[in-house]
mmCIF file of all heavy atoms in Angstrom:
data_model
loop_
_atom_site.group_PDB
_atom_site.id
_atom_site.type_symbol
_atom_site.label_atom_id
_atom_site.label_comp_id
_atom_site.label_asym_id
_atom_site.label_seq_id
_atom_site.Cartn_x
_atom_site.Cartn_y
_atom_site.Cartn_z
ATOM 1 N N VAL K 36 7.629 -2.638 15.789
ATOM 2 C CA VAL K 36 6.699 -2.043 14.816
ATOM 3 C C VAL K 36 7.463 -1.651 13.547
ATOM 4 O O VAL K 36 7.010 -1.930 12.424
ATOM 5 C CB VAL K 36 5.964 -0.823 15.429
ATOM 6 C CG1 VAL K 36 5.115 -0.120 14.378
ATOM 7 C CG2 VAL K 36 5.094 -1.263 16.611
ATOM 8 N N ALA K 61 19.638 4.819 21.057
ATOM 9 C CA ALA K 61 20.771 3.987 20.616
ATOM 10 C C ALA K 61 20.411 2.503 20.710
ATOM 11 O O ALA K 61 20.723 1.705 19.826
ATOM 12 C CB ALA K 61 22.003 4.287 21.463
ATOM 13 N N ASN K 107 0.762 23.096 21.212
ATOM 14 C CA ASN K 107 1.304 23.603 19.949
ATOM 15 C C ASN K 107 2.845 23.483 19.905
ATOM 16 O O ASN K 107 3.533 24.026 20.761
ATOM 17 C CB ASN K 107 0.884 25.078 19.838
ATOM 18 C CG ASN K 107 1.262 25.687 18.505
ATOM 19 O OD1 ASN K 107 2.234 25.290 17.889
ATOM 20 N ND2 ASN K 107 0.476 26.655 18.071
ATOM 21 N N CYS K 126 -3.662 15.719 17.061
ATOM 22 C CA CYS K 126 -4.700 16.728 17.275
ATOM 23 C C CYS K 126 -6.037 16.051 17.519
ATOM 24 O O CYS K 126 -6.345 15.042 16.893
ATOM 25 C CB CYS K 126 -4.873 17.587 16.028
ATOM 26 S SG CYS K 126 -3.385 18.401 15.485
ATOM 27 N N GLY K 151 -7.609 6.098 23.420
ATOM 28 C CA GLY K 151 -7.002 5.953 24.735
ATOM 29 C C GLY K 151 -6.138 7.171 24.985
ATOM 30 O O GLY K 151 -5.529 7.684 24.060
ATOM 31 N N ALA K 168 -11.739 16.441 8.826
ATOM 32 C CA ALA K 168 -10.312 16.745 8.622
ATOM 33 C C ALA K 168 -9.981 16.652 7.132
ATOM 34 O O ALA K 168 -9.268 17.503 6.589
ATOM 35 C CB ALA K 168 -9.440 15.782 9.434
ATOM 36 N N ASP K 173 -4.838 20.038 3.795
ATOM 37 C CA ASP K 173 -4.062 19.706 2.595
ATOM 38 C C ASP K 173 -2.969 18.692 2.925
ATOM 39 O O ASP K 173 -2.634 17.852 2.098
ATOM 40 C CB ASP K 173 -3.402 20.974 2.026
ATOM 41 C CG ASP K 173 -4.459 21.980 1.579
ATOM 42 O OD1 ASP K 173 -5.466 21.540 0.985
ATOM 43 O OD2 ASP K 173 -4.290 23.180 1.853
ATOM 44 N N ALA K 178 -5.586 8.329 10.878
ATOM 45 C CA ALA K 178 -6.699 8.196 11.815
ATOM 46 C C ALA K 178 -6.159 7.593 13.095
ATOM 47 O O ALA K 178 -5.449 6.593 13.072
ATOM 48 C CB ALA K 178 -7.745 7.264 11.225
ATOM 49 N N GLU K 255 -14.261 12.811 42.311
ATOM 50 C CA GLU K 255 -14.732 13.791 41.317
ATOM 51 C C GLU K 255 -16.198 14.130 41.570
ATOM 52 O O GLU K 255 -16.609 15.288 41.487
ATOM 53 C CB GLU K 255 -14.551 13.249 39.893
ATOM 54 C CG GLU K 255 -13.093 13.186 39.476
ATOM 55 C CD GLU K 255 -12.888 12.813 38.007
ATOM 56 O OE1 GLU K 255 -13.621 11.954 37.487
ATOM 57 O OE2 GLU K 255 -12.000 13.381 37.381
ATOM 58 N N ILE K 308 0.481 -6.811 12.196
ATOM 59 C CA ILE K 308 0.555 -5.916 11.030
ATOM 60 C C ILE K 308 0.346 -6.697 9.731
ATOM 61 O O ILE K 308 -0.378 -6.240 8.834
ATOM 62 C CB ILE K 308 1.893 -5.130 11.038
ATOM 63 C CG1 ILE K 308 1.865 -4.128 12.205
ATOM 64 C CG2 ILE K 308 2.126 -4.409 9.708
ATOM 65 C CD1 ILE K 308 3.063 -3.202 12.310
#
Side-chain angles (χ1 to χ4, degrees):
V36 174
N107 186 331
C126 303
D173 297 319
E255 289 187 321
I308 291 184

